[in-house]
Structure formats: structure tokens, C-alpha cells
Amino acid sequence: MEAGFRFAQLVETFRQQIEAGTLQAGERLPSVRSLSRERGVSLSTAFRAYYELEARGLVVARPQSGYYVRAWVRSEARAVPQPSQPQPQASPVSVSHALRTFAKGWVRPDLIDLSVAVPALSLLPQARLNKTVQETLRSLPDSGLNYEYSGGLPDLRRQVARHLALSGSLVEPDNVLITSGCLEAIGLALRAITKPGDAVAVESPTYYGILQVLERLGLCAYELPTHAETGPDLTALEQALTTQPIRAVVLTPSFSNPTGYAMPDAHKAQLATLLDRHGVPLVEDDIYGDLYFGKKRPRTIHSFCESGRVLLCGSVSKTLAPGYRVGWLASGRYHEAVQHARLMETIAPAPLVQAAVARFMQQGRYERHLRTLRATFQQHLLAYADAVRAAFPVGTRVSQPTGGFVLWVELPPGTLPVSALLEQALSQQITFFPGYLFSAQPQYANCLRIACGHPFTARYADGLRQLGQLAQP
Ligand SMILES: Cc1ncc(COP(=O)(O)O)c(C=O)c1O
């Protein structure tokens, strides 16, 4: 029998057994070796079958132990958060006060931190990066002490342009501007294409940092109904573009924060056409795009838009070093306006970290590191989501992202508002981001975002169990 056929047959048999409950949640599957012996398949076919079941979210791998049926594969437990239904109106944004209040309780080393979306330090190639910085320092002509060209170091812009090609985005290094992280890129882009008082369409819920940028620039947010798996409703966007004076759109189409949705390619193509038809620019936040769990890097909307109307933003904050503050902006037809906006803000980004990141990328280390990180985050998300499903009240809905490392959790009616849940959680040294910070409108009081950047240790498992207990009605 052909190996591909055996593989498909194995996967299908396990899928049916798991979904029918013949194999139960938490049950251990045969070891790869026994599977190979019992079913007469090669070890590599047995491995592939388990990888496939894992990628489909049916089983989880536990290091040094084997493969187990996930806790929530039955269809009723698979519920993802409901599509959002924000008010169809442009609202002034005012999140900074709530964020400041929240942040007071948040930066404490003793916390079980489910709030900040950063990779744990243990997942970063710290020793290698330190070495790279030292080598870079020796090779920089003036030790990086001087102001640099304000667009960023040419070496890094070249490396970024090469990296972006993996997402289908072909950009000239000269069109890339190096920024202090992705949020600065978004701010510069919006400053270049809007003026205070303008309305900007955003997904809902949307990353609170984007709302802060809108607030700072005096822009209004027009929130779009958004599906937790496929993203904004494009019919609603088209209607808004037709009936409202929307000046720009800001989206995170690959593993958005907080819902983790991944926009299908067909929607991306449709969106690119829509932008051209209405002559409206899109700021595309692609910060999580490299953290995909599937076979292929998702394409950017930028790669579908030939008219240069997409301003593509990214950074190494979620993948390599949040503290380096290295990001980028490929600004298409708005390059001059963006450069002008840059000169009005920071003079130039710091050369030392730019040169170090360029060197790390140029040596092929970034892509290698990403390969490991993606697999790690996939395991984190599966483990965290299982723990939430096991501990939280019946009827809780949890996102199922296919990339990134945050979960969006919607509590069922009758549970504590998340503001009260957060207070109780903080008294037990647990923190998370409350849902209401992800909108300019009063909504998502029954939602929370859980960041899964830390390995799922016993401490984090306990934290989620306690949080689930606190959320019980
Ligand atoms: C969607 C999104 N965009 C931008 C940022 C900020 O990125 P940076 O730290 O590179 O400015 C974050 C960080 O949480 C994010 O989640």
C-alpha cells in the first residue's frame, strides 16, 4: 500500500475515533514505535500522522511522554467567540486612562502574567543575540555612536525587504523605513495619511495599542463587525466606505490581537480591490504574520495590492527581542509623507540594535529561530486553551488561532464582569487583559485576553485553574 494512503487512513481513523468519543479526552495514544508496529507503517508515517492530528488540534504532544487526546475536541466544546457587533458609528477614542489604571497593577515580578503578549525570555536566543551585538559593535565604524540616516540602516532595510518577500510582499529596500517597533510604524503611517478628527476603520475587538495611537492623533474609531476566525465583515466595510467619511483602515489580518483571526486569501484579494475602488489606504499590522502554525507563511494584504495603498508594518518584538525596539514600515505610495512624519518625531532609530538584527537575519539565524518558536507557540496555545476549557464555566467560548500566541475568551451570560474578575485575580497574583480595553465603545465586559508567551508550567496551569474557579458563577 502506498505510504501517502496509509498516512491519510491513519489520520482519518484517529479523527473518527476521537470525535466519536471512542478515544477519550486525555487518553494517551500508542507510542510512535507501537503504532508503527501495530499498523505496519514506517516510523516516519506514524510521526507524520501524529503531527497532522496535532496540527488539526485533535491531539497534544507532551514532551517525553507522548501524544494525548485533547480535552475539548467534542464539537460543543469547540465554540469560538461570537462575531462582534459594534455600533456602526465613528467613536472618539479614550482608552489611555483605563490602560494607565490597569498598568499600575501589572508590572510586578511575582505575578502569574497572562497579560502582556511577549515571548518568555527563555524562548529567545539570548546568548546568540548577545554575541551578535558584541560582534556588531566591533564591526561598526563609529561604534554606533552617531546619528544615522533617518530611514534606518541600509543593511537592515535590505534584510527586511528580503524577509517580507516570504509573505509575498515585494518591496524595494528604499521603500522600507526602520522604526522603533511596530507601534511607531503604525503611528507614523496614520500621521502621514490622516488628520485629527478623521475616522479610521478598525477590526473589533482591536489591539489597545492601536486605539492609543488613534487617541493620541485625535482620530475616531469606526469599529467593524469581526468574526473570530476570518476577521472583519467586508460587506460592512464596503458599506462604511460608501456611506461614511472613512480616511483609512487599520487591520491585523494574520493572527490579530486579541482574537487571533486569520483572514482568508480570498478576503485579502477582495479587500485590496475595495481599497482601490474607494481610494482608501490600509495600515496593515503584520507583527504576528511569521508566527503561523500551518505549512505556509500567510500572505499579506499588501501582496495583493499593486497600487501601493497598503502601508505594511512589522517588528521583531513578538519574535526576537521586544526590548530592541526594531520595527519597519513599507510605506508604498506614501513614502515621502511618512519620512516627513518621521522627521517630526524621532530623528533616527539606534544604529547598534539595527545592525545587530540585520546581522542576525543575514546569517539565516532569524528564520531558523522562527521555525522553533512557531512550534513552541503552537504547543503553548493548545495547552493554554485546553486548560481554559477545562477550568472555565460551561458555555465559555475560546478562540482557536492558527498562529500567534494570544487567546480571546468570552465568558457565558451570568458570570462576573471581567473588571471584578481581574480584581479578584490580582489578589491571587494572576493578571490578564480585560476585554473592554480592546474597544473604543463600551463592550467586551465579558471577555478577556490571555497571553500564552510563557511555557505552560505547573505554575501557569495552576493560575489558569484558579482563574477558572474565580470565573464560576
Ligand atoms: C497587534 C500588535 N501590534 C503592535 C504591537 C506593538 O509592537 P511593538 O512592540 O513592536 O511596537 C503589538 C504588541 O502587543 C501588537 O499586539
Side-chain angles (χ1 to χ4, degrees):
M1 215 188 303
E2 203 232 312
F5 178 72
R6 288 180 195 200
F7 157 78
Q9 206 181 30
L10 259 188
V11 171
E12 189 50 24
T13 310
F14 276 121
R15 186 192 66 75
Q16 283 178 14
Q17 289 182 331
I18 291 170
E19 295 204 342
T22 317
L23 285 168
Q24 297 220 322
E27 206 170 314
R28 186 168 181 270
L29 299 182
S31 70
V32 171
R33 212 166 276 283
S34 345
L35 185 65
S36 143
R37 209 174 35 241
E38 285 163 17
R39 307 286 174 97
V41 295
S42 69
L43 282 174
S44 73
T45 301
F47 257 125
R48 262 184 70 211
Y50 281 166
Y51 284 151
E52 177 63 24
L53 290 164
E54 195 183 6
R56 291 191 194 183
L58 294 170
V59 307
V60 273
R62 297 201 192 133
Q64 330 260 295
S65 177
Y67 285 88
Y68 291 79
V69 179
R70 289 190 70 191
W72 53 273
V73 292
R74 309 301 285 282
S75 53
E76 74 276 10
R78 277 185 159 192
V80 295
Q82 317 255 25
S84 67
Q85 293 181 313
Q87 292 299 319
Q89 68 193 34
S91 320
V93 185
S94 159
V95 288
S96 54
H97 178 70
L99 266 165
R100 256 200 320 275
T101 314
F102 170 68
K104 275 189 195 142
W106 141 41
V107 191
R108 280 171 29 197
D110 57 325
L111 291 179
I112 297 178
D113 187 0
L114 304 168
S115 67
V116 189
V118 284
L121 275 189
S122 60
L123 306 181
L124 303 177
Q126 207 173 340
R128 186 63 245 178
L129 276 174
N130 290 351
K131 218 161 165 214
T132 307
V133 171
Q134 282 161 7
E135 288 162 6
T136 308
L137 189 54
R138 282 196 292 273
S139 70
L140 276 178
D142 55 5
S143 307
L145 292 175
N146 236 328
Y147 283 139
E148 267 298 336
Y149 168 60
S150 82
L153 290 188
D155 274 356
L156 182 57
R157 298 158 81 200
R158 224 175 8 255
Q159 290 306 324
V160 169
R162 281 181 60 180
H163 182 69
L164 289 179
L166 300 174
S167 63
S169 280
L170 301 179
V171 298
E172 306 264 325
D174 281 351
N175 194 248
V176 175
L177 187 86
I178 302 301
T179 59
S180 266
C182 185
L183 210 51
E184 190 194 40
I186 296 169
L188 289 172
L190 281 172
R191 191 188 267 283
I193 57 179
T194 61
K195 55 180 185 344
D198 283 350
V200 174
V202 295
E203 60 213 13
S204 182
T206 191
Y207 167 50
Y208 57 82
I210 291 176
L211 292 174
Q212 270 185 303
V213 173
L214 297 189
E215 180 176 342
R216 179 166 57 87
L217 297 178
L219 300 167
C220 294
Y222 186 98
E223 296 185 39
L224 298 165
T226 301
H227 192 281
E229 296 194 305
T230 53
D233 177 338
L234 296 188
T235 311
L237 174 60
E238 174 146 39
Q239 202 176 5
L241 292 173
T242 311
T243 60
Q244 310 278 327
I246 306 275
R247 289 280 172 259
V249 183
V250 182
L251 298 176
T252 309
S254 295
F255 322 122
S256 97
N257 175 5
T259 66
Y261 81 78
M263 186 182 282
D265 275 358
H267 291 207
K268 290 178 185 165
Q270 201 185 330
L271 185 56
T273 310
L274 209 57
L275 297 172
D276 281 344
R277 195 177 314 139
H278 292 270
V280 170
L282 166 75
V283 178
E284 179 173 10
D285 180 349
D286 187 43
I287 193 167
Y288 294 101
D290 284 325
L291 296 174
Y292 56 95
F293 306 151
K295 286 202 175 69
K296 272 193 3 223
R297 208 277 184 207
R299 278 183 65 177
T300 54
I301 299 173
H302 178 276
S303 72
F304 287 91
C305 181
E306 284 171 11
S307 60
R309 276 210 169 79
V310 179
L311 298 103
L312 182 61
C313 309
S315 80
V316 297
S317 303
K318 305 296 167 186
T319 50
L320 193 67
Y324 280 11
R325 311 305 303 133
V326 169
W328 50 83
L329 169 57
S331 45
R333 55 159 73 187
Y334 309 99
H335 194 60
E336 250 181 58
V338 163
Q339 274 182 314
H340 183 67
R342 142 61 59 81
L343 284 172
M344 310 235 314
E345 293 205 355
T346 35
I347 297 174
L352 178 57
V353 279
Q354 286 186 71
V357 171
R359 192 181 187 94
F360 197 81
M361 285 179 154
Q362 193 263 325
Q363 291 171 336
R365 295 184 194 278
Y366 189 50
E367 300 303 334
R368 232 173 297 148
H369 162 67
L370 285 176
R371 277 201 286 279
T372 317
L373 194 63
R374 284 195 279 270
T376 307
F377 279 148
Q378 183 176 19
Q379 301 240 344
H380 284 200
L381 272 190
L382 293 175
Y384 276 70
D386 275 352
V388 170
R389 283 171 210 279
F392 276 60
V394 173
T396 297
R397 293 167 171 267
V398 189
S399 61
Q400 290 182 48
T402 49
F405 57 98
V406 298
L407 288 174
W408 182 240
V409 178
E410 186 181 300
L411 298 174
T415 40
L416 218 55
V418 283
S419 48
L421 180 63
L422 179 62
E423 238 170 72
Q424 295 193 9
L426 277 170
S427 72
Q428 301 198 15
Q429 277 72 50
I430 303 166
T431 183
F432 59 83
F433 255 100
Y436 53 80
L437 292 175
F438 296 84
S439 174
Q441 299 178 10
Q443 49 179 346
Y444 309 128
N446 62 331
C447 297
L448 55 152
R449 189 198 73 180
I450 292 185
C452 311
H454 290 272
F456 189 66
T457 55
R459 184 161 177 262
Y460 276 80
D462 277 351
L464 280 169
R465 221 177 355 257
Q466 282 178 51
L467 192 56
Q469 269 162 15
L470 292 175
Q472 294 294 339

